[in-house]
Amino acid sequence: MASTDIEAKVVVDARGLLCPMPVVKTAKAMKELQTGEVLKLISTDRGSVADIPAWAESTNNELIEWHEEAGDFVFHLRKGQGG
Amino acid sequence: MYTSPRAKLVNVSTIGNPVLDEEAVRRIVRSEIEHADAKDPGTASAALIASKGTLDWAYPPLILATTAASLGMEASIFFTFYGLNIVHKDYDRLLKVSPLGNPAMPMPVPMPNLVLGLPGMGPIATKMMQSKFRRKNVTTIRELLDLARDLDVGLIACQMTMDAFGYKADDFIQGVRFGGAAAFLAKARKAHLTLFI
């Protein structure tokens, strides 16, 4: 699925932030969403590439896709049951 | 073909459907994890000890605890001995780095320990690290402490060390609770994740 086709309910802009902020901000924002809704995260922290998939797996949220876009790392995450 | 013993519970029928699709596999895995977690709440708990009172060593416990909370875990940090510096109201002044006896510390030019021991070298090293962190936009200790409290990370100061060092409850930031070894162990025995930092 092309990332432009995914409609995000909320966008978390974590550009310029380092560990642990991208994960912490994502977790906080995800709390406000309903199951099935999508969060878009934009990060410049290279650690996010490992951390966000690990966070998603560990919290029962789904990483739909991620890609690099002009130096930013863009993630689309769908809130899972109890995630 | 392997069928999960809980496959029925999660409503996956393999009869007439010999190939499980991705969604079915995900459902089974999720159910297995939930089942394991429910049986073993220790997987959702982290109990850390922070025993060091330098700027560099203040980071690992705070980063790990706030991240654990973001992973949905119940996290707590027990601050003991020099670790008390981290939750002292005066943490900004107390948390320093020392280049002395720390050959791993990056220096602009190599310096022998004899030079590093001169008066003023500690403050210079601390300033250097602070400005490096600022330049790289590293999260500050203040932000991490605010986050920890916001995320309900348990912050427990060791009463025995407080008494030994002459600290009062009032010397610590808001939200810190006080306790001893039993307070830590009561949490640690229920947590798979325990670290002494």
Side-chain angles (χ1 to χ4, degrees):
Chain A
M1 191 186 324
S3 64
T4 43
D5 298 342
I6 307 170
E7 201 179 317
K9 179 90 181 169
V10 66
V11 178
V12 175
D13 186 352
R15 279 176 290 191
L17 301 177
L18 296 177
C19 174
M21 298 313 289
V23 163
V24 169
K25 280 188 169 269
T26 301
K28 262 191 176 174
M30 199 60 117
K31 266 199 189 137
E32 308 301 320
L33 296 191
Q34 306 291 323
T35 301
E37 288 180 338
V38 173
L39 177 150
K40 177 183 179 180
L41 165 70
I42 314 168
S43 168
T44 47
D45 170 29
R46 193 158 282 280
S48 301
V49 173
D51 282 353
I52 294 300
W55 174 82
E57 193 197 328
S58 183
T59 52
N60 206 8
N61 293 297
E62 182 198 350
L63 175 60
I64 305 166
E65 68 90 38
W66 76 269
H67 63 275
E68 222 175 316
E69 199 176 289
D72 294 342
F73 302 103
V74 179
F75 301 84
H76 282 94
L77 297 141
R78 181 178 286 119
K79 180 159 176 139
Q81 210 99 48
Chain B
M1 189 179 107
Y2 173 75
T3 309
S4 158
R6 270 176 292 284
K8 274 206 194 89
L9 291 178
V10 290
N11 197 23
V12 176
S13 167
T14 53
I15 301 163
N17 177 21
V19 183
L20 292 175
D21 62 11
E22 193 188 322
E23 182 47 38
V25 172
R26 277 180 191 282
R27 213 156 51 222
I28 293 171
V29 170
R30 206 151 50 221
S31 141
E32 294 283 347
I33 291 173
E34 272 165 21
H35 187 81
D37 282 355
K39 261 208 316 221
D40 189 357
T43 58
S45 212
L48 315 186
I49 294 182
S51 71
K52 296 184 176 62
T54 54
L55 178 61
D56 43 349
W57 282 101
Y59 274 94
L62 292 177
I63 289 185
L64 288 172
T66 50
T67 305
S70 299
L71 286 163
M73 301 171 80
E74 191 201 314
S76 63
I77 312 173
F78 185 74
F79 298 90
T80 187
F81 279 82
Y82 315 112
L84 287 175
N85 277 0
I86 303 169
V87 281
H88 194 283
K89 272 180 182 160
D90 224 2
Y91 61 86
D92 228 10
R93 188 180 58 80
L94 292 171
L95 297 174
K96 303 170 193 156
V97 287
S98 171
L100 195 58
N102 182 3
M105 185 162 171
M107 296 299 264
V109 285
M111 283 189 205
N113 263 345
L114 204 61
V115 176
L116 295 174
L118 292 174
M121 288 310 284
I124 289 172
T126 302
K127 282 268 170 321
M128 266 172 44
M129 184 156 290
Q130 282 169 342
S131 69
K132 189 197 280 288
F133 279 7
R134 249 196 314 275
R135 236 179 11 255
K136 303 271 180 180
N137 206 20
V138 172
T139 314
T140 63
I141 297 298
R142 176 185 301 274
E143 288 170 307
L144 287 171
L145 286 171
D146 286 346
L147 262 179
R149 286 176 288 186
D150 192 37
L151 293 166
D152 285 327
V153 171
L155 305 174
I156 304 153
C158 168
Q159 186 70 58
M160 187 282 279
T161 348
M162 282 170 59
D163 294 344
F165 290 171
Y167 291 141
K168 299 178 299 294
D170 241 16
D171 294 329
F172 295 90
I173 59 169
Q174 280 287 316
V176 172
R177 284 173 294 135
F178 307 94
F184 169 76
L185 289 170
K187 285 185 182 297
R189 73 185 305 178
K190 293 186 200 140
H192 281 209
L193 205 162
T194 61
L195 292 172
F196 185 93
I197 299 171

